[in-house]
Amino acid sequence: MKILVTGATGFLGRSLMRQRHTAELVGCSRSPCELFGPSYVQVDLTDGEALSKAFASLDPDWVVHTAALTDVDRCETDPSENRRLNLEMVAKVVEVCASQGIRLVHVSTDYVFDGGNGPYGEVDPPNPLSCYGRTKLDSEQLVLN
């Protein structure tokens, strides 16, 4: 089994890539990276054509999508970049995975909740208070659809 980890140079992606697995892990992100050697490819996930070619070439069974703009303050001050990286990029990943028959795990955030009644479970109603949280909730709905 081959698992592609997007956002492999970020905190969560890097942590996943360093775990021992029986599956073959391949990381990708937009930044160059030598940490993972041949188990890494540089790809701009916002470029649908490059994304499609990379996924087809790598032929993963699963994609674990950890790539995101997680700077909550920046998401508030730059809502268009927030939307581009936290929703539009997800739409491209979903589209390519669906067209190539790749299973997808999408990582969201606790910012989809308001913090008033935690800890939260999967069935608790979301109530995001920030631009980041609202966009991540929208990306969850996109993946579910």
Side-chain angles (χ1 to χ4, degrees), residues 62-143:
W62 287 87
V63 168
V64 178
H65 184 58
T66 72
L69 176 60
T70 59
D71 181 336
V72 177
D73 292 334
R74 182 170 171 206
C75 289
E76 293 296 321
T77 61
D78 194 348
S80 63
E81 186 71 351
N82 171 49
R83 181 174 177 78
R84 186 176 81 84
L85 295 176
N86 291 331
L87 186 60
E88 294 169 9
M89 179 172 62
V90 174
K92 290 177 181 165
V93 169
V94 166
E95 180 181 335
V96 170
C97 285
S99 71
Q100 295 183 17
I102 303 168
R103 293 180 178 107
L104 174 64
V105 174
H106 174 66
V107 179
S108 189
T109 177
D110 59 349
Y111 279 81
V112 300
F113 300 108
D114 58 18
N117 296 313
Y120 295 98
E122 291 180 14
V123 297
D124 289 319
N127 185 31
L129 301 178
S130 66
C131 185
Y132 172 71
R134 286 187 299 277
T135 305
K136 292 296 281 188
L137 179 60
D138 290 345
S139 73
E140 287 181 13
Q141 287 303 311
L142 194 149
V143 171

Side-chain angles (χ1 to χ4, degrees), residues 39-79:
S39 295
Y40 177 84
V41 294
Q42 184 177 354
V43 62
D44 181 355
L45 299 177
T46 65
D47 179 339
E49 186 176 328
L51 176 68
S52 183
K53 286 180 183 177
F55 282 24
S57 171
L58 294 167
D59 192 29
D61 299 291
W62 287 87
V63 168
V64 178
H65 184 58
T66 72
L69 176 60
T70 59
D71 181 336
V72 177
D73 292 334
R74 182 170 171 206
C75 289
E76 293 296 321
T77 61
D78 194 348

